[in-house]
Amino acid sequence: MHTVKLLCVVFSCLCAVAWASSNRQPCHSPPLTSGTMKVVSTGGHDLASGEFSYDSKANKFRFVEDTAHANKTSYMDVLIHFEEGVLYEIDSKNESCKKETLQFRKHLMEIPPDATHESEIYMGSPSVTEQGLRVRVWNGKLPELHAHYSLSTTSCGCLPVSGSYYGDKKDLLFSFFGVETEVDDPQVFVPPAYCEGVTFEEAPDDHSFFDLFHD
């Protein structure tokens, strides 16, 4: 027990040193993350909730909506290869696939390099053991979308905690739960075989990650 406590203290100190020397530059997500993502509108409407997987090195993202918690007739299953600018909408039940180009490639799974550090705060208690979480808050603008964003990450580890997006078309709030630094099945980033040979569908020039979430 004493060893564990000592390791925690050392780890916390290393985090503090790393943070103090970072000059408030945007942190980078771990190579792999997974967990639950929930998206709501600022009006309080649930837009999507499900499991996400993210590969920060390859910049690939998978989101599968939880059918048990969605009052919908269709459910979202998307795979995005941001570097290639390709978005797959997958229907595993009917083994069908829709493929679109994605011209705008920024998203809230990674802090944009031009993001501004807003603050570092504690959620909960900073003095009671295991009753608080230190987070960094970043914000910035997405001029191509006439929008701005805010993103909170863990202060040490750069795991996503919450985010917000405010644009001309919509306002969105993102929450992340049970985030792990691993992905159980790396194949989630590979399009199913039935997506091969599917032709691209036309999409607007400002088509983005944020257009996935709507009433």
Side-chain angles (χ1 to χ4, degrees), residues 45-203:
H45 297 103
D46 290 341
L47 302 182
S49 181
E51 299 303 308
F52 78 88
S53 302
Y54 179 56
D55 180 339
S56 67
K57 289 187 175 181
N59 207 4
K60 296 179 180 180
F61 173 79
R62 182 74 177 265
F63 177 73
V64 181
E65 195 167 8
D66 184 357
T67 59
H69 295 88
N71 185 22
K72 300 179 180 180
T73 55
S74 61
Y75 303 96
M76 191 187 312
D77 182 352
V78 294
L79 170 62
I80 306 177
H81 290 182
F82 286 104
E83 290 298 319
E84 292 82 7
V86 181
L87 185 154
Y88 299 90
E89 294 186 25
I90 300 167
D91 184 345
S92 56
K93 182 178 180 180
N94 297 311
E95 293 193 350
S96 63
C97 186
K98 179 180 178 181
K99 186 164 65 172
E100 300 176 338
T101 56
L102 195 70
Q103 299 292 345
F104 188 83
R105 303 177 186 182
K106 289 185 179 179
H107 52 90
L108 289 189
M109 299 307 302
E110 193 76 51
I111 302 173
D114 58 353
T116 300
H117 174 256
E118 177 66 25
S119 61
E120 183 181 28
I121 61 175
Y122 267 93
M123 299 175 64
S125 172
S127 58
V128 181
T129 304
E130 297 185 353
Q131 297 301 313
L133 176 67
R134 188 172 65 181
V135 300
R136 308 180 193 181
V137 182
W138 312 86
N139 57 37
K141 296 181 179 180
L142 303 172
E144 301 91 335
L145 301 181
H146 306 285
H148 63 277
Y149 67 88
S150 178
L151 181 62
S152 298
T153 65
T154 55
S155 190
C156 187
C158 204
L159 300 179
V161 176
S162 63
S164 59
Y165 167 89
Y166 300 98
D168 287 345
K169 298 179 182 179
K170 65 184 73 180
D171 299 332
L172 304 171
L173 301 176
F174 295 79
S175 299
F176 301 90
F177 308 96
V179 180
E180 302 286 349
T181 54
E182 60 183 2
V183 171
D184 290 337
D185 181 12
Q187 288 300 112
V188 297
F189 300 117
V190 179
Y194 50 81
C195 287
E196 295 181 9
V198 175
T199 58
F200 280 99
E201 297 190 15
E202 291 187 13

